[in-house]
Amino acid sequence: MEDSFFVGNFRGNFVGYIDRDASGIFICYDRMSRPRGESRSLDEAMSSLNSLYFSDASDGELNVAGY
């Protein structure tokens, strides 16, 4: 793995990932590998990825187990 690539999971289920570009911006990708936003810090990007995942869960796209 690269030092600039971070994978998220919840209860063993893939949540999405975060990639850091050459300029230092963290780009969030959802569980379908769609770009879903940019952040200036890793903590902000992780929070954004969590929000995306649980938003999808509450919208009925998946349950919190990831199915």
Side-chain angles (χ1 to χ4, degrees), residues 3-53:
D3 290 337
S4 61
F5 186 81
F6 308 89
V7 176
N9 73 74
F10 178 75
R11 296 182 179 169
N13 296 291
F14 179 64
V15 170
Y17 62 95
I18 300 167
D19 196 14
R20 188 174 182 183
D21 71 11
S23 69
I25 298 295
F26 294 90
I27 304 168
C28 291
Y29 294 84
D30 65 13
R31 59 188 169 66
M32 300 301 291
S33 299
R34 297 174 293 209
R36 297 290 298 264
E38 300 178 353
S39 302
R40 298 242 174 241
S41 73
L42 180 57
D43 286 338
E44 184 181 308
M46 289 169 44
S47 179
S48 178
L49 194 58
N50 283 341
S51 295
L52 283 170
Y53 180 76

